[in-house]
Amino acid sequence: MTRFVDIEDMRQLVSLSGVAKFISQLVDYIEHDFRRWPEFDKTPRIASHSDIGVIELMPTADAELYGFKYVNGHPQNAFHNQLTVMAFGALAKTATGYPVLLSEFTLATALRTAATSVLGAKYLMRKDARQMAVIGNGAQSEFQIIGFHEVLGLTDFWLYDVDSAATEKLMGNLNACHGIRLHFCRSVEEAVAQADVITTITADKTNATIISSAQVKPGVHLNAVGGDCPGKTELAADILHHAEVYVEFTPQSRIEGEIQQMPADFAVTELWEVINGTRPGRSSVAAVTVFDSVGFAIEDFSALRLINDIATRHNIGRDIALVPSPKNPRDLYSLLVRPE
């Protein structure tokens, strides 16, 4: 049987610890898997692009488990009161191919995206960082703020979105969170003026310049999340020329990340190398660091492992007959017909 976790099950699963603690747990799971990065099969996500969006498969596997995520990105869905990103994921035994988990992954993607941002900042931002600008206040924004506050101790968040209703939504959701101070901003310039960390999470599928070089102070860490497909960027190329740039999986990031703007030989460091201590992280207090985060399959694998562990421990979800179990494995036909 396969454990099935739907939306309500995910809500129950996360509520056991709360969103903040769940993100913290997920940071630990992703960090654990990044430390054993060479053990995984790795490939850029398999994408089917159209003029208005993308549908992708994100697979990976180690010696024990195989995982994949189905995910889309359709920014124009927002104009029709539909989600711009939705997903589901599966986990299977490598030895047999039998699926052990089928899970909703729309909420899980939001949680793991925040956890990955937090993990990158843990190794790349200045240790005294306390203030973050959040440019783009849509569906991902609350998760980023909660994660950075819970795990890294950031306290002040400067918020800007071209749609002020998105910022008002965010503030309404998080105003009651103890220790988090939210500041409504009317421009990017106002938001980044105080920031030690700048997080960009805009949705438009275009080569935009959300942040210019003149807006980036020495010592800032840029958490570039929104540029995540070909033809979609948020940072001025000049920022990358003068920054220390870190990515998840270079072959994928060159196609989809901020570094798609750069020459093919543009030097980057993969985050797992910093976590393992084989490559340096931030070189100085004054350095500008960029985590060019597009999302990679190992992060989803980590989230699927955590979901499966919690669901199994607390008996959340239900078992479904996703795979047939005939008495004779060579006789599938018998499952489709009934004897006279």
Side-chain angles (χ1 to χ4, degrees), residues 168-230:
E168 292 166 1
K169 174 270 306 179
L170 191 166
M171 296 185 77
N173 283 338
L174 297 188
N175 260 334
C177 292
H178 178 72
I180 293 177
R181 292 188 288 270
L182 304 173
H183 307 273
F184 186 102
C185 299
R186 300 197 177 276
S187 68
V188 171
E189 290 76 14
E190 182 184 357
V192 302
Q194 309 294 328
D196 306 306
V197 177
I198 300 172
T199 291
T200 57
I201 39 176
T202 61
D204 286 345
K205 187 180 178 182
T206 183
N207 289 124
T209 301
I210 306 301
I211 303 293
S212 67
S213 183
Q215 294 167 327
V216 179
K217 302 179 298 183
V220 163
H221 171 61
L222 287 126
N223 176 39
V225 182
D228 57 2
C229 66

Side-chain angles (χ1 to χ4, degrees), residues 98-111:
Y98 269 67
V100 296
L101 176 71
L102 179 63
S103 177
E104 89 79 33
F105 221 80
T106 306
L107 295 171
T109 292
L111 291 157

Side-chain angles (χ1 to χ4, degrees), residues 15 55 68 101 139 153 188 201 262 316:
S15 70
I55 297 173
F68 79 86
L101 176 71
V188 171
I201 39 176
M262 311 307 287
I316 295 173

Side-chain angles (χ1 to χ4, degrees), residues 232-297:
K232 183 182 179 198
T233 57
E234 297 178 312
L235 305 185
D238 194 47
I239 295 174
L240 304 175
H241 278 295
H242 297 98
E244 298 168 356
V245 181
Y246 302 83
V247 300
E248 291 138 311
F249 183 54
T250 306
Q252 180 173 298
S253 298
R254 293 202 188 278
I255 298 170
E256 301 181 344
E258 295 296 330
I259 63 170
Q260 67 185 275
Q261 307 176 72
M262 311 307 287
D265 60 351
F266 179 72
V268 297
T269 301
E270 293 188 341
L271 181 61
W272 73 272
E273 298 175 290
V274 179
I275 293 172
N276 277 353
T278 58
R279 294 284 299 276
R282 167 180 289 274
S283 63
S284 70
V285 172
V288 172
T289 54
V290 175
F291 181 34
D292 185 6
S293 172
V294 299
F296 187 60

Side-chain angles (χ1 to χ4, degrees), residues 333-334 336-340:
Y333 181 78
S334 65
L336 299 176
V337 296
R338 295 180 180 178
E340 292 292 338

Side-chain angles (χ1 to χ4, degrees), residues 26 29 66-69 88-91 101-105 297 299-309:
L26 189 46
Y29 267 62
Y66 170 94
F68 79 86
K69 180 175 78 174
F88 65 87
L91 203 60
L101 176 71
L102 179 63
S103 177
E104 89 79 33
F105 221 80
E299 299 150 21
D300 300 315
F301 180 95
S302 304
L304 286 164
R305 286 202 305 112
L306 177 58
I307 292 166
N308 192 53
D309 286 351

Side-chain angles (χ1 to χ4, degrees), residues 326-334:
K327 292 180 180 179
N328 180 356
R330 294 183 175 184
D331 186 11
L332 283 176
Y333 181 78
S334 65

